Amino acid sequence: MVPEETSQWVAEAVGGVLRGPGDVPVRGVASLADALPDQVSFLGHPKYRSRVLPSAAGVVLVPPGFDTAPPSGRAWVVCDRPSDSFSILVQHFAPPPAVPAPGIHATAVVAASACLGAGVHLGPHVVLGAGARVGDRSVIEAGCCIGEGSRIGEDCRLYPNVTVRERCCIGNRVIIHPGAVIGADGFGYVSGPRGHAKIPQLGSVQIDDDVEIGALTAVDRARFGRTWIQRGTKIDNLVQIAHNVVVGQGCLVAGQAGLSGSCRLGNGVILAGQVGLIDHCAIGDGAIVMGQSGVTADLDAGALVFGTPALDRREFARMQMNVKRLERLQRTIRELESRLAALERRGPDPP
Amino acid sequence: MVPEETSQWVAEAVGGVLRGPGDVPVRGVASLADALPDQVSFLGHPKYRSRVLPSAAGVVLVPPGFDTAPPSGRAWVVCDRPSDSFSILVQHFAPPPAVPAPGIHATAVVAASACLGAGVHLGPHVVLGAGARVGDRSVIEAGCCIGEGSRIGEDCRLYPNVTVRERCCIGNRVIIHPGAVIGADGFGYVSGPRGHAKIPQLGSVQIDDDVEIGALTAVDRARFGRTWIQRGTKIDNLVQIAHNVVVGQGCLVAGQAGLSGSCRLGNGVILAGQVGLIDHCAIGDGAIVMGQSGVTADLDAGALVFGTPALDRREFARMQMNVKRLERLQRTIRELESRLAALERRGPDPP
Amino acid sequence: MVPEETSQWVAEAVGGVLRGPGDVPVRGVASLADALPDQVSFLGHPKYRSRVLPSAAGVVLVPPGFDTAPPSGRAWVVCDRPSDSFSILVQHFAPPPAVPAPGIHATAVVAASACLGAGVHLGPHVVLGAGARVGDRSVIEAGCCIGEGSRIGEDCRLYPNVTVRERCCIGNRVIIHPGAVIGADGFGYVSGPRGHAKIPQLGSVQIDDDVEIGALTAVDRARFGRTWIQRGTKIDNLVQIAHNVVVGQGCLVAGQAGLSGSCRLGNGVILAGQVGLIDHCAIGDGAIVMGQSGVTADLDAGALVFGTPALDRREFARMQMNVKRLERLQRTIRELESRLAALERRGPDPP
């Protein structure tokens, strides 16, 4: 079942340059640390350079700058982006599992007014509310609940136990990972002497084409209007997207980031893990927020920030450096003090 | 279906003062950016003042301080709290979906010893354990699992895929959003040479009346006794409430905050997003912890803190300012050094 | 039903030394604050010393250093670790609920090629994919979905609504709390001018014996190879474990921590709540990362770090102290300036 290939085949498959023998057998893929002699690996991060030679991998994809020659019986394949090229090999040797076959499981509960496209798969215990729509070839796995009037586009995949509440609108080729929640109420109250009165959250969620939503991520419905994730944006696990947020096209939002109410991200914004954004803040196109940063003000396009409150990365680094120098600074000041005291002791020289 | 109203009607509905014509037609609500000429919007945050004039909204709710006159064909309605008043309009133009009708879905699995009040709704694939109780008019949506002996009060709403483990006690009018988990084991071990031995978590969770629990939030059961969320407290998405925590009345806990074991919050405490509390800490009534702060010691009532470790907000701001001044300070010191060196070079004047 | 015991019995049960009468009746356990006269409590944290005397608890477990004598009618039991000993009493007075009886619920959907050990419990609406295996005596509760070809070992317990995707491998005596997601796709893309192309995530997840996974925690599948949680490690709620992470044996990972792709933890590592690790970082055996810290570089075995970016804890404390001293430092410098100015004013003394 597993394909048997050679180092020569690998070089051709990735369009790289072979260094060493072309007949090294290749039957699988693995990391440098785990690889066996008949597996191909790759150098994907400079910090692992020293692992290439000790690795048992028969073939290794290396970047152009890698000068060490392969030892006897092993081969390198030089390619511009070893990590990207490796994906081609991963797919060849470890093909993805088949997509579930079309059909509606007997235990699915589908409202009479729901509307299903051609080739749809509904897994066991799926619930489709009144007026819900699922587009052609979409796969809704076990335990998913789709609320009244929500629409799922074509070629989508919802993994098990996803909840989509009423009147949400999800585009084509959208992937939603297990346990994610789309369209829960935003967190909004009017606080008064008798407590926190709930502000009705009567808007919805719109997720455009080619978006991916991670496991256990929450995208809240808008207070009115819509919370909106635009085309091609990818969101990781355990992310919080509050009500009325707008995330532009092609953004990357890493695990456990939190976007407070009414934030607006431009296109191509990158939020690293555990980042937090204050409510109502606007992040310009292509801005990058580094891990754990807390953004408390709008960011210009192309900004690169770090820290809480987030600062320009170079400014943050300079501040850190200044703080690290404080001990030396204190010594300098003590020294100045004693030199000054010595001068003072000299006293006004007698005339 | 959609109500047709006028600017005059809006002013009366919110008890505000009309500026401009009373006959501007109003058929819906929207944000300043999205509104059409027949929609009403509002100025809810000072930073959006400049969006009022460019907005197409026919009617805008504005605060008393807003002095610009409405252009021809548009109207302002001046009211004390535009955002709060807007909620009245949202509910008028976009009524919430009907509550699910009473009844037990054929696919629900209800233990013979479970006890249901009048008018209860149990959705598809709900599971109710032995001795579980659900009060009058409560709605338990698809995929929820309620453990043995747990009680849900009256007029509650549990959205899909919520898990409540055994022996938890939930009050009246409690809302629990999709995917939340109530009553999982607390995280407790006795660590020894043979590893981490699990400490049994044999207590329960008590959630009082009018509490709201966000999507994908976890409230762990107590080691013994109870983890306790008191009346009127509102908790956002993806929050972690560890074992034996007590949260007082009327608190607000924002998204992704984490409360470690045995924390005690007074009444009216506000924790902003991504805040973390060390275990066993006590937070006084009305204290406010700003976003991403890490609280490492007890806080007095009324405290307002920021940072990790969290400090009084003004102290934090002063420290930040001092750090930003470090560059200037270093220059001053270099200058002092050269002035001092100049003085020293003068040398002890010859007698 | 509830056992009736005495203070004498308590001392024997925990192997402690009785101070005070041996006939104080004991019918239950409670915290110092909540206890009634017929309950036993414990002093588990030095900050609660002052609560022992005011407590109504008839019997209190205290550490060796606790010198106050018990008042009339109450008793202390002195033991080395009151908190650990208390667990023995908790289990005596509040026995855990019975494990669900073996059997397959009529609503479970089990693939014909799935394989079940002896004494397995499958709850309502469980879904077992083709070729999935569940070992002897394991309990899979309501709403869990186990993907194609995944294996669950013996004596495991999966609480409700857990999702395990295809080809994951879970050892023996593993506990997985409600809503957790094992084996979702890692977050990996090749970004180019046409957007973010998904890198197939074709590896799996391996969870070894005696591991515990918290509620709503996500463990992503590897890009290739495996994401691997080793023996005896305990993971809290809402934790993010990214693709290709390796967590060593006997680690403790607290709530809302996030481990980025390809991190490697040694054995016995402790990550406190809300900690974040940058991708590809290696954490040595026994290292401890304090709450909310952000680790941006490899850590040696035994390291103890705090802050973002994380520093040695003492270095962090020193830096904090230096920053707090800045105000005094500024005063000192102003003083030096005026003293220096005074000296300068003296001028070059006339010859």
Side-chain angles (χ1 to χ4, degrees), chain A residues 107 163 189 196 198-200 202 216 220 223-224 238 240 256-257 275 280 293-294 298 308 322 339 346 349, chain B residues 30-31 47-48 83-84 86-87 90-91 94 125 161 212 216 237 250 256 274 292 323 327 330 344 347 349:
Chain A
T107 60
T163 302
Y189 304 89
H196 308 297
K198 185 171 174 68
I199 299 176
L202 299 171
L216 302 166
D220 278 355
R223 178 179 165 194
F224 59 92
L238 291 159
Q240 154 76 341
Q256 297 175 320
V275 157
H280 290 276
S293 299
D298 294 354
T308 302
N322 288 336
R339 283 163 62 188
R346 273 200 239 156
D349 299 298
Chain B
S31 68
K47 76 185 278 187
Y48 299 140
S83 177
D84 297 358
F86 191 66
S87 288
V90 170
Q91 289 180 74
H125 313 122
N161 290 326
E212 189 163 348
L216 301 167
N237 300 340
Q256 297 175 318
Q274 298 183 333
Q292 288 194 332
V323 167
E327 230 136 303
Q330 288 169 350
E344 287 169 336
D349 299 299

Side-chain angles (χ1 to χ4, degrees), chain A residues 97-103 119-124 137-142 156-160, chain C residues 148 166:
Chain A
V99 170
V120 162
H121 169 96
L122 299 186
R137 295 172 304 279
S138 281
V139 170
I140 315 289
E141 297 204 29
C156 290
R157 182 150 191 183
L158 274 62
Y159 284 97
Chain C
E148 285 188 26
E166 72 277 5

Side-chain angles (χ1 to χ4, degrees), chain B residues 121-135:
Chain B
H121 169 96
L122 299 186
H125 313 122
V126 163
V127 177
L128 233 66
R133 304 170 67 121
V134 179

Side-chain angles (χ1 to χ4, degrees), chain C residues 115-291:
Chain C
C115 181
L116 300 178
V120 162
H121 169 95
L122 300 186
H125 312 123
V126 163
V127 178
L128 234 67
R133 304 170 68 122
V134 178
D136 295 351
R137 297 171 303 280
S138 282
V139 171
I140 315 289
E141 297 205 29
C144 288
C145 297
I146 313 292
E148 285 188 26
S150 281
R151 298 189 206 178
I152 314 287
E154 302 178 352
D155 298 298
C156 289
R157 183 150 191 183
L158 274 62
Y159 285 98
N161 290 326
V162 167
T163 302
V164 178
R165 273 185 45 191
E166 72 277 5
R167 287 187 298 111
C168 295
C169 187
I170 293 171
N172 302 314
R173 298 174 301 281
V174 170
I175 300 170
I176 306 183
H177 290 284
V181 174
I182 311 297
D185 286 357
F187 190 67
Y189 303 91
V190 177
S191 299
R194 292 184 312 179
H196 308 297
K198 186 172 173 67
I199 299 176
Q201 304 289 316
L202 299 171
S204 69
V205 173
Q206 177 178 330
I207 295 177
D208 291 347
D209 294 350
D210 301 302
V211 165
E212 190 163 349
I213 306 277
L216 301 167
T217 278
V219 182
D220 278 355
R221 68 192 312 108
R223 178 180 166 193
F224 60 92
R226 61 189 169 184
T227 302
W228 187 11
I229 314 288
Q230 297 179 357
R231 191 164 56 75
T233 281
K234 313 295 182 181
I235 296 174
D236 200 354
N237 299 339
L238 291 159
V239 170
Q240 153 77 341
I241 309 273
H243 50 174
N244 291 85
V245 165
V246 178
V247 179
Q249 298 179 14
C251 295
L252 294 173
V253 180
Q256 298 175 318
L259 288 71
S260 302
S262 302
C263 285
R264 292 190 170 237
L265 270 60
N267 298 327
V269 169
I270 297 178
L271 305 183
Q274 299 182 333
V275 157
L277 306 186
I278 203 171
D279 54 315
H280 289 275
C281 80
I283 309 294
D285 291 348
I288 299 176
V289 182
M290 295 171 70

